[in-house]
């Protein structure tokens, strides 16, 4: 395993213009936030206080199962804005960066940064109907483009643009029986293949085993398959490729994905 440390210059050379890298390290009593832009670099400690951990837990809970009551709206607004502040994220209203590259660690890997609130929405909470208030909250996604990375070393400038990226695509569309059938998955996979070029795997050929052996050869992968979420144990969520074949059970689990070496960027 290559454990060579990356220099700031190495990362900065690969960081696109007007972009910010935000990386976290999660320890036992403290977390650390590393932040780098073309003209800045900083490191800050984040105390893992009871208040911070509560904000993290409650924000994640609301994301998994939104509470549309007045009390639920108030709780989400409080904790999502507190978590934004606790994670020492920059003020998106300053408009200094077009994109944030976030490298989470520990339980932050299960946080949807897009739904964090950049401020406490006191004015928005005056709406009498929670559903209307939820639409008006200052979500981070409204002002910031966010991308996630497993490591800072995965930052790569797309000098040739998105068009060149999509010339190398694999599309998988599995056939399902009965009520599980996806009516248009094969048609959509074939159409995408025609539009951008690449290879299309359909029906029995769109198997878990085929994905594991072929996906690494493509820069972009389209999956027209069922997925099964596991709220209690997210690492055991899976993509359903249908019937089992030989050594594979037809279910590609999250922990299996982490063990694959994929070149795909989309």
């Amino acid at each position: 395993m290559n454990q060579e440390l990356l220099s700031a210059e190495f990362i900065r050379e690969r960081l696109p213009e007007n972009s910010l890298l935000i990386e976290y390290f999660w320890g036992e009593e403290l977390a650390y936030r590393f932040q780098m832009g073309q003209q800045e670099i900083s490191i800050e400690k984040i105390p893992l206080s009871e208040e911070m951990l509560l904000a993290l837990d409650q924000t994640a809970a609301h994301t998994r199962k939104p509470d549309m009551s007045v009390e639920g709206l108030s709780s989400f607004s409080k904790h999502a804005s507190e978590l934004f502040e606790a994670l020492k994220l920059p003020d998106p209203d300053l408009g200094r960066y077009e994109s944030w590259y976030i490298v989470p660690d520990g339980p932050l890997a299960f946080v949807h940064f897009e739904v964090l609130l950049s401020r406490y929405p006191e004015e928005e909470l005056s709406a009498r109907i929670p559903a209307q208030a939820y639409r008006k909250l200052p979500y981070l996604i409204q002002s910031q483009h966010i991308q996630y990375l497993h490591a800072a070393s995965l930052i790569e400038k797309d000098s040739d643009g998105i068009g060149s990226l999509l010339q190398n695509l694999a599309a998988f569309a599995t056939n399902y029986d009965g009520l599980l059938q996806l009516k248009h998955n094969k048609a959509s996979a074939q159409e995408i293949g025609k539009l951008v070029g690449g290879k299309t795997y359909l029906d029995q050929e769109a198997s878990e085993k085929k994905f594991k052996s072929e996906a690494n050869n493509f820069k972009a992968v389209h999956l027209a398959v069922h997925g099964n979420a596991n709220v209690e144990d997210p690492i055991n969520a899976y993509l359903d490729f249908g019937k089992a074949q030989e050594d594979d059970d037809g279910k590609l689990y999250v922990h299996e994905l982490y063990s694959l070496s994929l070149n795909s960027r989309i």
Side-chain angles (χ1 to χ4, degrees), residues 163-200:
S164 64
L165 174 65
L166 292 181
Q167 290 173 6
N168 192 2
L169 174 140
F172 293 80
T174 300
N175 182 48
Y176 299 95
D177 297 326
L179 296 176
L180 291 177
Q181 183 178 4
L182 293 172
K183 289 186 178 180
H184 305 293
N185 67 331
K186 288 189 286 185
S188 66
Q190 290 173 317
E191 193 64 26
I192 290 173
K194 291 178 183 178
L195 287 173
V196 302
K199 186 170 179 59
T200 303

Side-chain angles (χ1 to χ4, degrees), residues 212-228:
K212 288 179 176 178
S213 65
E214 298 295 327
N216 189 49
N217 299 320
F218 299 90
K219 293 181 181 179
V221 177
H222 172 75
L223 293 168
V225 302
H226 280 299
N228 189 295

Side-chain angles (χ1 to χ4, degrees), residues 3-262:
Q3 296 182 341
E4 181 181 355
L5 295 177
L6 302 180
S7 67
E9 290 74 19
F10 178 91
I11 298 174
R12 188 170 279 141
E13 286 175 359
R14 287 156 178 77
L15 192 63
E17 295 292 332
N18 299 318
S19 296
L20 184 69
L21 172 68
I22 303 172
E23 183 167 3
Y24 290 94
F25 170 78
W26 190 275
E28 293 185 4
E29 298 181 357
L30 290 171
Y32 292 85
R33 188 230 62 198
F34 169 82
Q35 184 170 298
M36 174 184 285
Q38 292 294 343
Q39 304 297 326
E40 69 168 281
I41 183 170
S42 65
I43 298 177
E44 288 201 47
K45 295 180 181 179
I46 301 175
L48 300 182
S49 64
E50 291 184 6
E51 292 78 10
M52 186 273 190
L53 296 176
L54 178 62
L56 173 61
D57 179 71
Q58 290 300 306
T59 301
H62 281 289
T63 304
R64 292 193 300 266
K65 189 176 182 180
D67 185 343
M68 302 304 291
S69 68
V70 173
E71 294 76 13
L73 171 64
S74 177
S75 175
F76 171 76
S77 299
K78 176 180 183 294
H79 293 118
S81 56
E82 287 180 351
L83 184 58
F84 175 90
E85 184 175 354
L87 292 177
K88 300 186 183 298
L89 291 165
D91 185 350
D93 293 336
L94 297 178
R96 296 173 59 193
Y97 300 99
E98 293 179 0
S99 298
W100 291 359
Y101 289 88
I102 295 180
V103 184
D105 188 37
L108 295 180
F110 302 107
V111 172
H112 299 279
F113 282 73
E114 294 89 344
V115 303
L116 298 184
L117 305 183
S118 57
R119 58 176 174 80
Y120 182 72
E122 186 172 355
E123 180 179 346
E124 289 83 349
L125 290 178
S126 62
R128 295 183 178 180
I129 303 176
Q132 294 179 352
Y134 270 115
R135 298 191 194 103
K136 298 178 180 180
L137 296 180
Y139 299 109
L140 191 53
I141 194 174
Q142 294 176 343
S143 56
Q144 201 62 55
H145 177 242
I146 294 175
Q147 300 183 62
Y148 296 96
L149 298 172
H150 294 303
S153 59
L154 297 177
I155 291 180
E156 180 182 350
K157 287 186 177 179
D158 183 18
S159 57
D160 298 326
I162 195 71
S164 64
L165 174 65
L166 292 181
Q167 290 173 6
N168 192 2
L169 174 140
F172 293 80
T174 300
N175 182 48
Y176 299 95
D177 297 326
L179 296 176
L180 291 177
Q181 183 178 4
L182 293 172
K183 289 186 178 180
H184 305 293
N185 67 331
K186 288 189 286 185
S188 66
Q190 290 173 317
E191 193 64 26
I192 290 173
K194 291 178 183 178
L195 287 173
V196 302
K199 186 170 179 59
T200 303
Y201 300 93
L202 303 176
D203 299 327
Q204 296 302 312
E205 194 177 16
S207 64
E208 179 190 5
K209 184 174 183 179
K210 180 67 72 172
F211 175 86
K212 288 179 176 178
S213 65
E214 298 295 327
N216 189 49
N217 299 320
F218 299 90
K219 293 181 181 179
V221 177
H222 172 75
L223 293 168
V225 302
H226 280 299
N228 189 295
N230 190 326
V231 174
E232 299 300 326
D233 189 12
I235 202 69
N236 280 314
Y238 63 84
L239 295 171
D240 187 354
F241 283 87
K243 296 180 180 178
Q245 291 188 2
E246 299 180 14
D247 298 331
D248 288 308
D249 59 5
K251 297 178 175 61
L252 182 64
Y253 290 89
V254 171
H255 61 79
E256 292 181 289
L257 273 173
Y258 280 130
S259 67
L260 297 178
S261 177
L262 298 177

